[in-house]
Amino acid sequence: MKRIISIVLAAAMLLSITALLSACGSGESVTVYNWGEYIDESVLDDFEEQTGIKVNYKTFDTNEALYSMLKTGGSDIDVIITSDYMVGRLIKEGMVQKLNYDNIPNFSLVSDSLKNPNYDPDNAYSVPYMWGTVGIIYNTAMISDPVDSWGALFDPAYSGQIAMIDNSRDALAIALLYLGYSVNTTDEAQLNEAYELLVQQKEIVQTYVMDQIFDKMETGEAAIGTYYAGDYLTMLENNPDLAFAWPKEGTTWFADAMCIPVASTRQENAEKFINFMTDTDVCVRNMAQTGYASANGDACEAYASELDEDAYAIMFPDAGFLATCEMFENLPEKTLALYDSLWTQLKS
């Protein structure tokens, strides 16, 4: 009898504990995929404390890697932070779901200039996160002449010292811009010409990198490379010999956005996370950590006063300069297949 009573009491206690934990929201979670080095991770703790929703935070290296992950599974992913052209592709292929803006009131804080972009005209599927530009990073202790052209990345004088970006869209864009073509060209002859330039460059490239470029440039292991401007500001803190240049042939600018994959079953949790990430204080903290401009205009205004003149110019380039930059567009399937083929050949 005592054993039966003990079992009953234990079962009752377990039910009570389970109910209490459930009431506290301990069973709630959200899985977030983001670029590396692209958030102040302490804000995740604050989100968990405020909402009781556990964040499973993971990173990816390229938009294409994220796309493959979503295509081959990704049923556990609730929020993705990805780039403009990829958002357009995911929308077109039905891979992200429409947002319920009743759960994202902080969308009102997003700058009007970043709302209703071409890749998502009504912001039905995405909320802007951060934006920035691409340029050349070089070590002035290793390269004495000022750098002002993409041609520096193809210069045999820097053989074995070049860290080339390791994704097809950015790499081919650099070659296309150097050759005088649009980064959104669908002309196969132009794309093949850009590919041949990358083939020639491969002989003098030290390594292909994404976030590995931090170590390469901060330690002086590589003399020159190409990456995103915000990351340069982070590298500069660890190596003051580094310099940054926007090439005279032109460059690209990007706007990353937060979306919810269509397979997610935790939409409300995901929208709470997106809303939190658009909060002004959170945006200021993320800018301070990453060196990128937030989509939240109030946050940009608040943080701008903390920057010196050079950092401000890189983080917040003026509208006239941005008008000369191209933003990647989602390309036709035939062109995307050619990109995949050329990149596979290059890296083989």
Side-chain angles (χ1 to χ4, degrees):
M1 177 63 72
K2 289 182 179 180
R3 178 176 174 79
I4 293 174
I5 291 174
S6 297
I7 292 173
V8 171
L9 288 174
M13 185 177 296
L14 179 60
L15 288 172
S16 297
I17 293 172
T18 301
L20 179 61
L21 291 175
S22 178
C24 292
S26 65
E28 296 294 321
S29 67
V30 61
T31 298
V32 178
Y33 271 77
N34 190 9
W35 294 88
E37 309 286 344
Y38 207 31
I39 194 174
D40 178 348
E41 292 194 29
S42 71
V43 305
L44 303 178
D45 297 329
D46 291 346
F47 175 77
E48 292 179 347
E49 184 176 345
Q50 290 181 24
T51 65
I53 299 171
K54 170 69 177 175
V55 179
N56 302 312
Y57 185 74
K58 303 179 181 181
T59 62
F60 59 88
D61 285 339
T62 69
N63 287 305
E64 288 68 29
L66 176 66
Y67 175 83
S68 296
M69 194 182 310
L70 292 173
K71 286 291 283 187
T72 58
S75 60
D76 66 325
I77 303 174
D78 302 305
V79 178
I80 57 173
I81 300 176
T82 190
S83 301
D84 32 59
Y85 74 94
M86 185 54 68
V87 175
R89 183 176 184 180
L90 295 175
I91 292 172
K92 182 179 180 181
E93 297 184 19
M95 294 174 65
V96 288
Q97 55 185 282
K98 287 191 173 182
L99 302 174
N100 177 3
Y101 277 95
D102 290 342
N103 296 325
I104 314 175
N106 284 340
F107 180 71
S108 63
L109 301 175
V110 173
S111 298
D112 289 341
S113 61
L114 293 172
K115 289 180 177 177
N116 309 313
N118 290 337
Y119 59 84
D120 185 10
D122 300 315
N123 281 115
Y125 299 89
S126 65
V127 172
Y129 176 57
M130 289 190 186
W131 62 273
T133 60
V134 177
I136 297 174
I137 303 168
Y138 63 101
N139 191 323
T140 59
M142 303 170 72
I143 296 177
S144 57
D145 295 331
V147 173
D148 67 352
S149 168
W150 289 121
L153 296 177
F154 304 99
D155 190 339
Y158 305 133
S159 180
Q161 298 177 302
I162 300 168
M164 185 60 180
I165 199 163
D166 193 14
N167 75 72
S168 60
R169 201 68 201 269
D170 279 311
L172 279 161
I174 289 166
L176 288 166
L177 287 167
Y178 183 58
L179 293 168
Y181 302 136
S182 168
V183 301
N184 294 309
T185 184
T186 58
D187 186 306
E188 291 190 11
Q190 293 179 358
L191 287 166
N192 279 306
E193 187 178 350
Y195 165 73
E196 290 299 332
L197 183 59
L198 293 178
V199 170
Q200 295 173 30
Q201 182 204 38
K202 186 175 181 179
E203 297 180 3
I204 61 173
V205 166
Q206 179 192 113
T207 184
Y208 292 89
V209 292
M210 290 302 293
D211 284 343
Q212 302 91 337
I213 195 173
F214 284 86
D215 288 337
K216 292 288 184 180
M217 299 306 300
E218 289 175 358
T219 63
E221 188 175 342
I224 188 169
T226 177
Y227 217 54
Y228 312 110
D231 291 320
Y232 158 72
L233 294 175
T234 301
M235 296 178 209
L236 185 62
E237 295 177 0
N238 297 315
N239 186 343
D241 289 331
L242 298 180
F244 181 84
W246 286 305
K248 61 187 178 183
E249 297 89 359
T251 189
T252 58
W253 79 284
F254 62 86
D256 289 337
M258 298 175 282
C259 306
I260 304 176
V262 71
S264 171
T265 59
R266 295 179 286 266
Q267 181 176 4
E268 185 172 346
N269 289 358
E271 288 164 347
K272 287 180 179 178
F273 182 83
I274 291 171
N275 187 64
F276 175 83
M277 290 291 284
T278 314
D279 174 81
T280 299
D281 177 64
V282 173
C283 289
V284 169
R285 290 164 63 187
N286 283 331
M287 282 193 291
Q289 180 67 30
T290 67
Y292 287 97
S294 172
N296 180 322
D298 291 343
C300 289
E301 186 174 344
Y303 185 64
S305 62
E306 300 183 23
L307 299 172
D308 63 33
E309 185 177 350
D310 291 340
Y312 181 89
I314 290 172
M315 194 168 180
F316 301 107
D318 63 53
F321 171 74
L322 284 177
T324 69
C325 301
E326 286 192 86
M327 177 180 278
F328 288 130
E329 299 172 1
N330 182 33
L331 299 171
E333 289 185 15
K334 182 180 179 181
T335 306
L336 290 173
L338 178 58
Y339 262 83
D340 289 343
S341 175
L342 294 176
W343 192 246
T344 299
Q345 292 177 58
L346 180 71
K347 296 301 295 292
S348 62

